Amino acid sequence: ALKGENYSESMFRLSERILGTSLNRNVSSEIRFDNVTEFAEYIGKGKRRVQEMKDKHGEKPIIWLGTKTVGSVNRMPQSYTPQQDFWEELVEELKGRYAFYELLGPEDKPVSDRVEHGNGNSHFAFNSEILKACAAGIGLDGMQIELAHALGNSRMVILLGPTHPRAVVYPGFEEQMLTIPSFSDFERLNYCRGCGMVGYANGASYKEKLEVMRTRQKGFELDEETDCRRLKKREYAYDCWRNLDVKEIRTKLAGLVK
């Protein structure tokens, strides 16, 4: 997340080091639930939910929303006070053109009464049917990105807080997996970085964060309690999301859903 290496490439390199041999990278991520007998019930429910949404919304493209993620709270725009109503504003802005399906956990509440959801169903196999049927998605740095890609639907706009854009885009999918900030904006605007990094931290990674971030921001310091950038005087919130704009998402989404 700091240096901009995709998760799959990291796993390749780790495996090669363990096995002592090079691996063929000309493979595709794939996940299937329809060949597991125990999941047949969830698959059926997912297919019926897709049909219900199509009956309700007609020709409107369905867009999946991944509004929550684990790890540092700064990986979610709603954690930044000025953007706390971001998802509701997004749905309100785009509701005329798209229908929305929000991926929710068992205890999660939908961001708006205008979004569809699983009505209590959150099983991976159930949601796999939804993700395959969606025209595209809008999500955060999290497992929903990996799941949608592995299901063959890589059309998405990925909203990034403290993560390098190249860390979430699979090689060869740069025209389908669009990020905010984009690769060029990330390098040009010197975005806030250095937070939780998916919650994995130890002495070595802590030192690495400092070294990387001090090359980007003069005087950068980490807060040991939050494992995030130390707030400066008169700062009350982290600013990873200050430039997030619904209009930019609308433009990127229109390029994916034609």
Side-chain angles (χ1 to χ4, degrees):
L2 279 169
K3 296 180 178 179
E5 180 178 83
N6 182 269
Y7 180 75
S8 63
E9 176 60 22
S10 297
M11 295 304 294
F12 270 121
R13 289 198 301 104
L14 175 62
S15 300
E16 286 174 335
R17 190 166 71 243
I18 294 172
L19 297 172
T21 185
S22 61
L23 296 173
N24 175 22
R25 281 161 171 71
N26 189 28
V27 295
S28 301
S29 300
E30 182 182 8
I31 186 169
R32 290 181 57 188
F33 296 106
D34 57 1
N35 55 354
V36 182
T37 304
E38 293 89 336
F39 292 166
E41 178 184 356
Y42 300 107
I43 294 292
K45 288 181 178 179
K47 291 181 182 296
R48 289 191 291 274
R49 188 71 182 96
V50 168
Q51 190 57 53
E52 289 172 0
M53 289 190 288
K54 289 182 176 180
D55 292 342
K56 179 178 179 180
H57 296 287
E59 297 300 316
K60 272 188 180 181
I62 302 171
I63 307 299
W64 62 261
L65 297 178
T67 63
K68 301 174 181 66
T69 187
V70 298
S72 169
V73 295
N74 294 303
R75 294 166 68 217
M76 298 183 286
Q78 59 267 39
S79 67
Y80 178 50
T81 304
Q83 297 277 20
Q84 60 186 1
D85 298 322
F86 164 76
W87 293 106
E88 295 94 316
E89 294 170 2
L90 175 73
V91 172
E92 184 64 25
E93 173 76 16
L94 301 180
K95 69 180 188 298
R97 184 168 181 177
Y98 307 104
F100 293 96
Y101 179 90
E102 185 179 7
L103 298 167
L104 297 175
E107 306 300 324
D108 292 338
K109 303 296 182 184
V111 295
S112 167
D113 59 6
R114 295 182 180 275
V115 302
E116 303 287 345
H117 49 84
N119 298 319
N121 292 296
S122 59
H123 194 279
F124 278 143
F126 173 86
N127 279 324
S128 73
E129 293 301 313
I130 312 294
L131 289 171
K132 287 189 293 184
C134 285
I138 305 171
L140 307 176
D141 173 19
M143 284 307 299
Q144 61 263 18
I145 295 173
E146 315 297 338
L147 181 58
H149 177 72
L151 289 167
N153 190 351
S154 300
R155 297 182 301 277
M156 61 185 87
V157 180
I158 308 169
L159 313 182
L160 300 174
T163 302
H164 194 298
R166 293 194 184 280
V168 299
V169 176
Y170 281 79
F173 287 85
E174 290 81 2
E175 294 185 2
Q176 297 180 53
M177 304 177 78
L178 307 180
T179 64
I180 298 178
S182 64
F183 297 150
S184 59
D185 283 346
F186 173 79
E187 297 297 341
R188 180 171 59 85
L189 298 176
N190 193 25
Y191 273 75
C192 160
R193 290 295 179 270
C195 293
M197 296 308 159
V198 204
Y200 303 126
N202 54 42
S205 65
Y206 184 89
K207 181 180 179 181
E208 184 179 27
K209 288 179 194 179
L210 281 177
E211 291 175 349
V212 171
M213 289 308 302
R214 282 174 178 170
T215 66
R216 297 185 63 82
Q217 298 180 12
K218 185 178 179 180
F220 178 89
E221 294 294 336
L222 277 172
D223 185 328
E224 292 187 23
E225 291 186 6
T226 63
D227 194 29
C228 210
R229 175 176 63 82
R230 185 172 295 165
L231 291 173
K232 301 174 184 177
K233 289 183 178 180
R234 292 183 292 277
E235 279 189 319
Y236 68 93
Y238 295 95
D239 56 1
C240 300
W241 301 101
R242 69 185 181 277
N243 295 312
L244 186 61
D245 188 350
V246 168
K247 293 182 176 60
E248 183 179 2
I249 296 172
R250 180 180 63 195
T251 301
K252 287 183 180 289
L253 195 59
L256 294 174
V257 184
K258 299 177 181 178

